[in-house]
Amino acid sequence: MGADSMRRTGAILLVILGGAALWWAGNGAPASASANDAMVATIAAARERAAANDPRLKGASRFEEGGWIYVHLEGDPGAVGYQHGYLLAPEIEDGFAAVSAGMIHATERDWEFFRKAAHEMLWPKIDAEYQQELQGIVDGLRARTGSKLDVDDLVAFNAFEELPDYYVPWLNKRQKAANAPNLKSPGNCSAFVATGSWTKDGQIVMAHNNWTNYRNGERWRIVFDIAPKNGYRMLMDGFPGVIASDDDFGINSDGLMMTETTITQFEGWDPNGKAEFVRARKALQYAGSIDEYTKIMLDGNNGGYANDWLLGDRKTGEIAQLELGLKAYKLWRTKDGVLAGSNWARDPKVLKVDAPEFDPENKESSPNARRARWEELLNENKGKIDVALAEKMLGDHADAVEKKEDANERTLCGHVDGSPRGVKEWDWQPYYPGGAVQGKATDSTMTKEMRIMARMGHPCGGDFLAKPFLAAHPEYAWQEPYLRDMKAGPWTEFRSGQTPKE
Ligand SMILES: [Zn+2]
């Protein structure tokens, strides 16, 4: 906050406090709770008015459509962060509460543990640019709500995909922790990227649905349009308060298209590496080619949130798959083909050294059953694939094991809450409230114009209702304060520089 706006805030507060003191004196009795609440609300409103005048907010905007919250952020890293923190302050507080509760519950570690890991291990290796952006988020958040969150909280929160399920199991093993919880790397998402003779127009088509628990997934509803001072303009989906897309789906103004699915049963962590959320954000911001993307992801690879990255370059029509283990990795690329993902690694070396427990032969597991369905569905539609068809595929409910329609953990549109089996590879128990929480799709033409399609909620259009679920499954009662209904919105187009509809 500048000195001017600081003085202005101070002046406003003085006036309000002065008024309140007079009111108190005049009454001759203690203020009632409601009067006290009103005073707190007035002070908060004054703080918000003062913060809204901050020059760092210039050019930023927010609107809601189709169940999504769209924010436009621009400028230097501190300004981009400040705008993010300010415009999404209520959603960041809410998302932080849900995510941190999940991290603590799963790992049986307290929040201080994660703050320390963020401060000592992650922060020193974060590029100055992203340190400034993260600090900016804290500043914007505090200006808007008077939040108590600091930068250590925010860094730990940004690492919510990597600290609990990669760092903690590695640490437990090292410390030979007795009775350590059974932590498994997550299996997030179904996705593909296709090009050449596989698509209707011969150009690239890319689609992705995000699999996660419904508690977090229902909050994964932000569309970020970021015009940074340095690097390319980006359009991506994301989570409030997090600087990377994180699920991941995004495009940039140099024609780079990226998504991923997570490697099931990945093991490994390098405490001296650079956080995945930083590398992933940097790659989308600065990579104009598949080679540049690969180089940035490999630089300081810490093994966190290890993914099979699916990439496209609309300038060349080339697509690629970067299977990014920690001890090994492999890059495949083609100008005529399709690359699909549903949480399985396929390079023999990556499987052997980075995901040794994963069984590629078990046809009944969620990753392998979805792999079989992708092969079937994509082959059936060779030469016909476009964005409209991709949207349908993301909502597909064909179970390749049962050979029938049955929305469950084995279908491309995941509904694990309907499965008595759960997903043991991710330690998702029977009827786990998780699955596909939203979907996105785009193609080369749309990318050139910086446009994507996105649908909030299950990509099939089905709703998840928290109350009847919790009544039927009391084993998930701990999630009750955070678990909400997840109702599907319509497929909605978003583009860079968009303004709200009249
Ligand atoms: Zn579905």
Side-chain angles (χ1 to χ4, degrees):
M1 189 181 279
D4 269 1
S5 48
M6 197 89 97
R7 267 196 297 277
R8 195 158 51 232
T9 314
I12 292 167
L13 288 180
L14 270 178
V15 170
I16 293 164
L17 291 171
L22 281 174
W23 182 88
W24 263 58
N27 242 317
S32 68
S34 67
N36 203 30
D37 286 352
M39 190 174 78
V40 169
T42 312
I43 294 170
R47 181 181 54 229
E48 205 167 314
R49 270 198 305 279
N53 290 325
D54 192 292
R56 282 173 289 185
L57 287 174
K58 192 169 177 288
S61 60
R62 163 184 168 142
F63 67 87
E64 296 180 24
E65 196 179 327
W68 294 87
I69 303 168
Y70 177 106
V71 290
H72 167 77
L73 315 175
E74 64 176 50
D76 63 42
V80 165
Y82 188 88
Q83 294 161 17
H84 182 169
Y86 184 85
L87 293 175
L88 293 172
E91 288 80 16
I92 293 171
E93 296 277 12
D94 172 65
F96 174 81
V99 162
S100 57
M103 289 165 77
I104 292 164
H105 180 86
T107 60
E108 299 168 16
R109 303 268 183 168
D110 61 16
W111 186 248
E112 198 49 40
F113 165 84
F114 290 106
R115 285 174 48 83
K116 190 164 177 273
H119 184 82
E120 293 175 3
M121 178 170 57
L122 303 181
W123 179 259
K125 290 142 212 147
I126 298 176
D127 306 57
E129 166 175 7
Y130 301 115
Q131 288 184 344
Q132 288 160 22
E133 185 169 326
L134 290 157
Q135 183 61 56
I137 295 175
V138 173
D139 295 345
L141 184 61
R142 288 185 168 183
R144 175 84 179 272
T145 66
S147 175
K148 299 277 186 290
L149 297 181
D150 65 15
V151 79
D152 291 339
D153 292 319
L154 203 79
V155 171
F157 171 44
N158 267 258
F160 78 83
E161 289 291 357
E162 49 197 308
L163 287 179
D165 294 330
Y166 295 80
Y167 169 56
V168 177
W170 171 85
L171 189 67
N172 285 341
K173 211 169 166 181
R174 246 170 87 97
Q175 296 178 338
K176 299 189 170 57
N179 307 318
N182 186 20
L183 295 165
K184 298 273 170 67
S185 62
N188 293 347
C189 318
S190 301
F192 77 86
V193 59
T195 193
S197 61
W198 286 80
T199 62
K200 202 169 173 179
D201 69 358
Q203 301 296 304
I204 300 171
V205 176
M206 178 176 83
H208 174 270
N209 67 33
N210 173 3
W211 283 49
T212 189
N213 60 72
Y214 299 150
R215 186 183 73 251
N216 292 349
E218 185 269 332
R219 293 164 164 90
W220 220 304
R221 57 171 69 245
I222 314 299
V223 174
F224 286 99
D225 171 34
I226 310 178
K229 187 176 164 214
N230 299 310
Y232 301 116
R233 186 154 181 168
M234 295 161 274
L235 185 66
M236 66 187 195
D237 77 318
F239 200 91
V242 177
I243 65 168
S245 166
D246 226 24
D247 66 318
D248 287 84
F249 188 91
I251 56 177
N252 76 24
S253 57
D254 201 40
L256 204 284
M257 306 158 76
M258 77 82 196
T259 190
E260 49 83 355
T261 78
T262 311
I263 299 175
T264 292
Q265 288 173 305
F266 176 90
E267 295 171 28
W269 177 265
D270 181 354
N272 298 311
K274 189 188 281 196
E276 188 275 347
F277 76 84
V278 175
R279 289 178 291 121
R281 164 58 190 279
K282 189 175 180 177
L284 187 63
Q285 186 172 345
Y286 287 100
S289 68
I290 289 163
D291 288 314
E292 286 172 4
Y293 197 93
T294 302
K295 193 174 164 218
I296 294 170
M297 290 309 295
L298 283 169
D299 179 26
N301 181 11
N302 68 343
Y305 200 32
N307 293 316
D308 267 283
W309 294 89
L310 300 178
L311 308 168
D313 182 348
R314 69 147 189 88
K315 302 185 295 300
T316 61
E318 189 176 29
I319 59 171
Q321 177 177 3
L322 170 62
E323 190 160 286
L324 187 58
L326 177 59
K327 299 183 189 117
Y329 75 94
K330 171 102 179 174
L331 180 70
W332 295 269
R333 51 203 303 170
T334 178
K335 287 185 178 172
D336 187 16
V338 62
L339 298 162
S342 53
N343 315 119
W344 37 269
R346 63 178 167 127
D347 177 58
K349 190 165 180 205
V350 171
L351 278 166
K352 190 170 174 221
V353 299
D354 287 316
E357 298 291 317
F358 182 68
D359 179 5
E361 301 307 320
N362 175 7
K363 301 294 177 220
E364 300 203 348
S365 72
S366 167
N368 295 331
R370 284 182 291 136
R371 179 179 186 171
R373 180 55 184 159
W374 265 141
E375 273 166 23
E376 188 177 56
L377 194 58
L378 292 164
N379 275 303
E380 271 172 18
N381 291 288
K382 187 176 180 186
K384 290 184 277 191
I385 300 169
D386 62 8
V387 168
L389 193 57
E391 290 171 2
K392 280 206 191 77
M393 290 178 177
L394 293 179
D396 186 77
H397 285 170
D399 179 337
V401 176
E402 293 180 323
K403 308 272 182 222
K404 64 172 191 183
E405 295 281 308
D406 179 16
N408 60 40
E409 88 283 14
R410 296 190 292 233
T411 51
L412 295 175
C413 180
H415 295 251
V416 186
D417 52 310
S419 168
R421 296 171 297 268
V423 183
K424 68 172 174 14
E425 291 82 359
W426 312 330
D427 200 33
W428 282 17
Q429 302 303 312
Y431 307 106
Y432 185 85
V437 298
Q438 37 100 313
K440 292 85 49 187
T442 190
D443 65 12
S444 291
T445 304
M446 291 177 72
T447 297
K448 189 172 185 185
E449 296 158 1
M450 291 297 279
R451 293 187 286 131
I452 61 169
M453 297 299 298
R455 179 177 214 171
M456 194 55 219
H458 285 301
C460 61
D463 292 337
F464 168 78
L465 301 174
K467 208 172 172 186
F469 172 82
L470 288 166
H473 300 288
E475 66 273 29
Y476 295 107
W478 74 269
Q479 299 203 15
E480 200 269 326
Y482 312 103
L483 191 65
R484 296 193 293 231
D485 291 349
M486 185 177 75
K487 294 196 173 166
W491 278 103
T492 307
E493 184 181 282
F494 293 103
R495 62 177 195 279
S496 278
Q498 190 171 343
T499 48
K501 274 194 191 131
E502 290 305 305

